[in-house]
Amino acid sequence: VLVVLVLVQVLVAAKAHLEEETSAGDTCLGVAALHGQTAIVRILLAAKADVAHASPDGLSALGMAVATGSASIVQALARAKADVHAPGPGLIHAAAEGLADTVSALVRVKANVDVVSEDDEATALVMSATRGHADVVETLIVAKAQVELATTAGVTGLIGAAATGHRAIVQTLLAAKSAVNRATGDGRTALFVAAANGHANVVRLLIAGDADPCSSMPDGCSPLMMATAKGFRDVTFCLLDHGVNVRQA
């Protein structure tokens, strides 16, 4: 590694053409970022390598660093004025993949914490909550991400976390004042999806957080009905213990 660093320094000192591209359209800065070579990236940045260059598929050095989870390179590129809002892998990708250090690095350089995905308008918070990345969720909340932003289907971070059974994240979102009885476009609340997926510990937590155990979808389908139909005994008894009418089954 030391030999490579010295070689790069020699080439830079000899005025090597920093923007020469590989057959794939990447520059040496992009290649170094892709492979997590922080020291080389810093040398190239000091030599004024173009941080805005993008490969034919639109991937910049910053995008490559985000895609591979190289938080130190993300910070170095951002300090060199790389556009943290440029197309390509960004906060959404880092949050979805649970790259906590990279998310923190992007937050520190003022990336938009409420940016949404192009397909279903999911925010970084919704993505990380649904996939169980508790540390990322906490980072985003501290950075003032809006907990009530939802996908086009109406899924919030709380509903996503409840559906996938991530109790600790549900607790974090409740503490951040996420609306516990908010429903998706088709009427599913966090309690409904938790019950429908057999997450009894999440159901208990939601009820303790003032979720309505007697709520139902517009078609009349209730959490108790779903839990009973799927044989989730713990959820069924939990709902009955909290006053749900057995006739709702």
Side-chain angles (χ1 to χ4, degrees), residues 120-123 126 149-156:
D120 62 356
E121 296 187 6
T123 64
V126 171
L149 291 180
T151 67
T152 52
V155 176
T156 62

Side-chain angles (χ1 to χ4, degrees), residues 109-187:
V109 296
K110 307 302 181 184
N112 178 10
V113 293
D114 291 323
V115 64
V116 298
S117 62
E118 294 182 357
D119 50 356
D120 62 356
E121 296 187 6
T123 64
L125 182 65
V126 171
M127 295 287 278
S128 55
T130 302
R131 297 191 180 192
H133 304 310
D135 47 356
V136 172
V137 171
E138 290 175 4
T139 296
L140 293 169
I141 288 175
V142 170
K144 308 301 183 185
Q146 297 183 60
V147 297
E148 288 308 306
L149 291 180
T151 67
T152 52
V155 176
T156 62
L158 181 63
I159 293 172
T164 46
H166 298 297
R167 186 185 186 281
I169 294 176
V170 169
Q171 189 166 29
T172 297
L173 290 167
L174 288 175
K177 308 302 182 185
S178 185
V180 70
N181 287 310
R182 177 169 174 172
T184 60
D186 60 3

Side-chain angles (χ1 to χ4, degrees), residues 192-218:
F192 183 94
V193 296
N197 287 288
H199 304 307
N201 58 344
V202 174
V203 170
R204 294 187 189 94
L205 181 61
L206 289 167
I207 292 174
D210 292 329
D212 180 5
C214 299
S215 64
S216 60
M217 292 180 63

Side-chain angles (χ1 to χ4, degrees), residues 40-108:
I40 293 176
V41 166
R42 287 173 176 159
I43 292 171
L44 294 170
L45 291 176
K48 307 301 181 185
D50 182 12
V51 296
H53 177 276
S55 60
D57 59 1
L59 202 58
S60 66
L62 181 66
M64 293 180 186
V66 171
T68 54
S70 301
S72 59
I73 294 179
V74 169
Q75 287 183 289
L77 290 166
R79 284 196 294 269
K81 307 303 182 184
D83 183 5
V84 297
H85 307 297
L91 187 64
I92 292 286
H93 172 84
E97 296 300 318
L99 303 174
D101 290 344
T102 302
V103 170
S104 294
L106 289 167
V107 166
R108 282 195 293 272

